[in-house]
Amino acid sequence: MQRYISEIRKLIGPLPEKLAIYCSDAALTRYLRARNWNVKKATKMLKETLKWRAEYKPEEIRWEEVAHEAETGKIYRSNYIDKHGRTVLVMRPSCQNTKSTKGQIRYLVYCMENAILNLPPDKEQMVWLIDFNGYNLSHTSVKVTRETAHILQDHYPERLGLAILYNPPKFFEPFWKVVKPFLEPKTQNKVKFVYSDDPNSKKIMDELFDMEKLESAFGGNDDSGFNISKYAERMREDDKRMPAFWTRGNPQSAEAPVDLNSLDLNSDSDASDNGKVDSSPSHVSDSETLSPSESVIVTKGSDNDSTEVH
């Protein structure tokens, strides 16, 4: 596997420290998995992400910029993890409170970056808990789901371990059938439909979570609920940790601007199967892109067809 990682590094070429930090062996492995171990396709995908990160600067988003998006608790990082040690993001599509697609996507990216920040060193994937309480068809937009899927599948590959859709209404199933073709083929297995009145579903939750810490909305025993003030305190503390996380403690690498013109980040390299290895290492998951787009819940914010993304 190291040989394939080395091949990607050669194709990418030298990078400024800020982008080089992103290209750890673990990160390159995620891109290889996402492209079925095809080196050239993985390199093309990675180059697109590096360009996106250099321009969008997701690691520089701070709580004060997106706090208004979080007021209703439509997306937040829980204060508990699952039994595998993975970060948990809670999503409530019915709690939409803004009409800006741009603002909602930026908040979603902030949540992704924060979830990654809080992953244990030996974990790479997170869990999404989607609470469908109060959900209706007005919260659905296939168009924006596709746009969101682009960011999440292409720039956060292999980051979602599991998406739990909790008590989705029956009328959600036709929408799910429409959305499924937008997803990588094997990612669909990462989506679980869970119903509170189904004994088998309760078993799934019990196997994944400590029920004493799990929120009562998902069948757990914690009924404290979402508190925006306490959550804001947690996020501000996390924001203080973010620069060191992406600079290895070197402040200069955070301050130095990235000159895209000086980088060879063109993604027009040959993406043919010539770059594909003969077989995947046996100890690596055969999953393709594990992105949060499998469970993206999208809302329409007004009658003038403006849309939002959760």
Side-chain angles (χ1 to χ4, degrees):
M1 183 169 63
Q2 191 62 43
R3 176 167 63 88
Y4 311 132
I5 292 174
S6 298
E7 288 181 28
I8 291 183
R9 294 194 185 282
K10 289 179 182 178
L11 289 171
I12 292 175
L15 294 170
E17 184 175 11
K18 193 170 184 179
L19 292 181
I21 290 172
Y22 179 79
C23 296
S24 64
D25 285 1
L28 299 190
T29 300
R30 287 195 301 273
Y31 282 81
L32 282 164
R33 290 175 182 169
R35 289 297 176 260
N36 284 328
W37 301 91
N38 184 306
V39 171
K40 290 184 178 179
K41 288 183 178 180
T43 302
K44 179 179 180 180
M45 184 185 190
L46 178 60
K47 284 184 175 182
E48 290 294 335
T49 293
L50 293 176
K51 290 170 65 177
W52 176 75
R53 293 193 72 89
E55 295 169 349
Y56 197 80
K57 299 179 174 59
E59 77 284 355
E60 295 182 12
I61 304 173
R62 293 295 177 263
W63 171 252
E64 301 305 332
E65 178 186 344
V66 297
H68 63 286
E69 295 282 352
E71 292 176 351
T72 58
K74 62 186 178 187
I75 310 177
Y76 60 92
R77 179 176 61 81
S78 71
N79 57 7
Y80 53 87
I81 56 178
D82 78 343
K83 289 183 178 179
H84 299 286
R86 297 176 294 190
T87 302
V88 177
L89 281 184
V90 175
M91 309 185 78
R92 291 193 164 93
S94 64
C95 293
Q96 185 51 259
N97 63 326
T98 64
K99 298 180 180 181
S100 168
T101 299
K102 180 179 178 181
Q104 289 194 33
I105 291 178
R106 197 152 179 84
Y107 179 54
L108 178 62
V109 170
Y110 174 82
C111 292
M112 289 296 298
E113 294 289 316
N114 181 268
I116 293 168
L117 172 72
N118 285 280
L119 284 171
D122 61 336
K123 301 295 179 182
E124 294 187 313
Q125 297 180 334
M126 65 189 72
V127 175
W128 280 27
L129 273 177
I130 320 295
D131 181 5
F132 278 85
N133 181 46
Y135 174 84
N136 59 58
L137 286 176
S138 69
H139 301 131
T140 299
S141 169
V142 175
K143 176 183 177 181
V144 184
T145 297
R146 293 182 65 176
E147 295 175 1
T148 307
H150 162 66
I151 290 178
L152 299 178
Q153 284 197 151
D154 291 353
H155 302 317
Y156 293 96
E158 294 281 348
R159 282 302 192 183
L160 184 68
L162 180 66
I164 295 178
L165 278 58
Y166 196 81
N167 282 338
K170 290 297 182 182
F171 60 76
F172 178 77
E173 295 178 7
F175 174 71
W176 172 245
K177 291 180 180 179
V178 173
V179 170
K180 284 173 70 175
F182 302 154
L183 311 177
E184 297 288 344
K186 296 178 183 178
T187 57
Q188 296 171 18
N189 293 330
K190 299 296 176 180
V191 180
K192 303 295 182 184
F193 285 73
V194 174
Y195 300 92
S196 57
D197 58 354
D198 181 357
N200 291 328
S201 292
K202 292 181 180 179
K203 183 179 179 182
I204 291 175
M205 300 300 284
D206 188 57
E207 290 176 348
L208 280 171
F209 300 101
D210 180 343
M211 301 306 285
E212 291 300 315
K213 297 179 179 179
L214 184 67
E215 297 163 66
S216 56
F218 299 105
N221 298 325
D222 183 358
D223 57 2
S224 57
F226 176 75
N227 184 304
I228 184 61
S229 298
K230 293 181 179 179
Y231 190 69
E233 292 178 9
R234 291 171 57 200
M235 295 301 102
R236 291 189 184 103
E237 290 302 311
D238 282 351
D239 283 356
K240 295 176 183 178
R241 297 164 47 212
M242 187 65 77
F245 183 77
W246 284 115
T247 62
R248 294 177 183 153
N250 179 11
Q252 292 183 347
S253 62
E255 297 172 0
V258 176
D259 182 6
L260 290 177
N261 294 326
S262 67
L263 304 178
D264 180 21
L265 294 183
N266 291 323
S267 58
D268 57 356
S269 58
D270 179 15
S272 69
D273 288 340
N274 293 334
K276 188 172 183 179
V277 299
D278 293 336
S279 60
S280 302
S282 59
H283 65 283
V284 178
S285 168
D286 64 350
S287 62
E288 294 185 25
T289 307
L290 297 181
S291 77
S293 58
E294 290 98 336
S295 54
V296 171
I297 308 303
V298 185
T299 70
K300 296 180 180 178
S302 68
D303 293 335
N304 62 6
D305 203 28
S306 63
T307 48
E308 281 94 34
V309 182
H310 290 271

